[in-house]
Amino acid sequence: MKLFRSLNIVLMAALLSAPSVLADERPVAMAIHGGAGTIEKSKMTADQERAYREKLAEAVNAGYRVLEEGGDSLDAVTTAIRILEDSPLFNAGIGAVYTYEGRHELDASIMEGATRRAGAVAGVTTVRNPIDLARMVMEDSPHVMLAGPGAEQFADSRGVKRVENSLFDTERRRQQLEKAKKKIEDETRQKGNEQAAVNALPVAFRMGTVGAVALDKSGNLAAGTSTGGMTAKRYGRIGDSPVIGAGTFADNDSCAVSATGHGEYFIRFNVAADICARVQYQGKSVAEAADAVINQVLLPVGGTGGVIVMDAAGNIALTFNTPGMYRASRSSDKPLYVGIFDKE
Ligand code: ASP
C-alpha cells in the first residue's frame, strides 16, 4: 500500500512536470550566412580567414543564446544580423559596397514563420541597422516594404537615430568601386552595352550579404537578410534581399530561407519561396529543395549564389553553387559549425 502511494506520487510529479520537460526538449536551431561567391583559400591570409570564422561564430552563438534562453526566433535573427551589419567584414551596414556615385544604399528584410508577417526596407542611407528598421516596418506599420527617403521618414517617426552615410565606408570597398567602375567603362566601350558590362562584373563585387534563419522553443521559424547590394549599382537598383519570396521567406508550414547571390536571378526565380514550396507541396527535405533550386534551376541559367534553409524540425541546409559561402550553424542536436569554402 505504502509502495503504491509513493509510486503514485512519483507518477503525479512526473505528469505535472511533463509540459516543462517537453518545452525544454523542443529543438532550437540557428543558421547564418555572410555571402556567397568566389571565396578561395589561396586568396585569403590566415588572419583574414580567422577573422571571418570568429565573427561568424560570434554571430551564430549570439543568436543561439537568445533561443536557448527561451527568446523568440525574430530576436535571434535580428541579434545575429546586427552583429554582422556592425562588422566591416561583410557587405551589410558598416562595410557595405558603394553605389556608382560613391554612397551606400542598404536593403534588408525580415519574415515571421508563424504569421507570415514581413517587413522590408530598400535603399536606406542613414540607418545604422537596416534589419531593425525592417522589423519596425513589420511590427509597427501597415506596410511590408518602404523605400528610400520614405523609409527614412518612417525611421524618424519611430525615433530611430540617423547616422552619416560615411559611417559605412571602408577602404576595401572603396577600392572595389574604383575597379568596378573601370571594368564597367572598359566593357561598355567595347560592347556598347552598359547592362552587359554590369552583368559581367565578377561575383566579388557584391559578395558579403548577411542573413539568418532561426527556430525557437515555441516551434516558430523566422528569416532575415541585410545587404549593401552590388558594387557600382545605379538608378536605385534594388536586389533580392528586401524582396519577400526572393531573398527572404519564412513559413512554419514549410521553411525559413535567407539568400545571397546575384539578386536579379533570385528575384526572377523567386528563389526563397520556391524552395519552401518544394518542401511543402513536394514533401522534399530542405536539403533536396535547396539543391534543386540552387543547382538545377539557377546554375544552368547563370544565377550564382546560395541559401540557408531551416524547417520547423530544425533541419538545416547550407547550399551554394559558388566556390564558397561564409556560413555557420548550431542547433540542439548539432554543435557549432563554421564554414567558408566548399566541402568543409
Ligand atoms: N543578393 C544581393 C543583391 O543582389 C547581393 C549578394 O547577396 O551578394 O543585392
Side-chain angles (χ1 to χ4, degrees):
M1 187 66 189
K2 213 173 177 181
L3 178 72
F4 182 70
R5 202 179 304 135
S6 56
L7 260 180
N8 245 346
I9 289 167
V10 170
L11 212 76
M12 286 248 308
L15 277 176
L16 280 174
S17 63
S20 65
V21 168
L22 276 182
D24 279 350
E25 279 172 0
R26 275 244 166 108
V28 295
M30 185 79 216
I32 61 167
H33 70 79
T38 332
I39 312 167
E40 279 155 298
K41 210 177 171 74
S42 58
K43 293 195 185 125
M44 223 182 224
T45 67
D47 280 352
Q48 281 168 336
E49 188 181 328
R50 192 174 330 109
Y52 275 105
R53 288 188 191 278
E54 279 173 12
K55 197 45 86 173
L56 289 165
E58 179 191 334
V60 83
N61 281 334
Y64 188 78
R65 214 171 307 121
V66 170
L67 299 169
E68 230 181 10
E69 287 167 2
D72 70 31
S73 49
L74 284 171
D75 283 339
V77 162
T78 50
T79 298
I81 291 184
R82 229 180 285 125
I83 290 171
L84 300 170
E85 285 179 336
D86 287 346
S87 162
L89 294 173
F90 302 97
N91 172 19
I94 296 166
V97 298
Y98 286 82
T99 63
Y100 198 86
E101 283 76 26
R103 287 163 56 75
H104 309 279
E105 293 174 0
L106 311 175
D107 307 329
S109 66
I110 191 160
M111 187 164 185
E112 179 179 63
T115 57
R116 283 179 69 156
R117 287 191 307 165
V121 292
V124 296
T125 56
T126 56
V127 174
R128 181 181 174 129
N129 291 108
I131 194 66
D132 289 338
L133 191 59
R135 184 165 175 182
M136 275 178 205
V137 173
M138 175 175 87
E139 292 180 332
D140 198 16
S141 93
H143 308 299
V144 169
M145 189 192 283
L146 299 179
E152 282 164 353
Q153 272 169 25
F154 172 74
D156 288 343
S157 77
R158 297 301 185 271
V160 175
K161 198 175 137 259
R162 301 250 230 123
V163 296
E164 291 294 322
N165 190 252
S166 58
L167 175 77
F168 307 118
D169 286 355
T170 50
E171 188 43 39
R172 179 169 75 115
R173 296 297 189 186
R174 164 90 55 199
Q175 285 172 12
Q176 262 179 16
L177 173 65
E178 296 316 319
K179 277 195 208 144
K181 279 173 96 164
K182 196 170 163 343
K183 261 192 177 347
I184 293 172
E185 276 151 26
D186 289 351
E187 294 251 338
T188 308
R189 215 171 301 120
Q190 278 170 27
K191 297 191 175 126
N193 178 345
E194 186 195 300
Q195 201 45 47
V198 171
N199 274 336
L201 274 182
V203 222
F205 288 104
R206 55 162 169 69
M207 221 170 56
T209 292
V210 308
V213 291
L215 171 71
D216 63 28
K217 283 187 181 169
S218 308
N220 289 324
L221 289 166
T225 311
S226 181
T227 190
M230 289 175 106
T231 304
K233 63 185 183 181
R234 289 175 102 171
Y235 314 124
R237 181 264 184 191
I238 310 285
D240 60 312
S241 308
V243 179
I244 298 301
T248 301
F249 192 75
D251 181 356
N252 283 358
D253 289 336
S254 54
C255 62
V257 180
S258 172
T260 171
H262 198 152
E264 281 68 9
Y265 289 87
F266 282 68
I267 294 174
R268 288 167 51 209
F269 289 88
N270 199 31
V271 166
D274 187 10
I275 291 173
C276 291
R278 288 166 194 257
V279 169
Q280 189 169 4
Y281 305 125
Q282 294 185 324
K284 301 282 187 209
S285 69
V286 286
E288 288 165 344
D291 176 64
V293 175
I294 295 300
N295 291 315
Q296 290 155 43
V297 175
L298 283 188
L299 196 57
V301 294
T304 52
V307 283
I308 53 172
V309 189
M310 182 181 287
D311 67 16
N315 296 305
I316 296 170
L318 311 169
T319 306
F320 47 99
N321 61 24
T322 46
M325 178 168 83
Y326 297 109
R327 57 200 187 275
S329 64
R330 189 170 164 187
S331 55
S332 303
D333 59 354
K334 297 224 172 62
L336 172 68
Y337 161 80
V338 178
I340 297 181
F341 313 108
D342 196 8
K343 297 199 176 65
E344 60 165 308

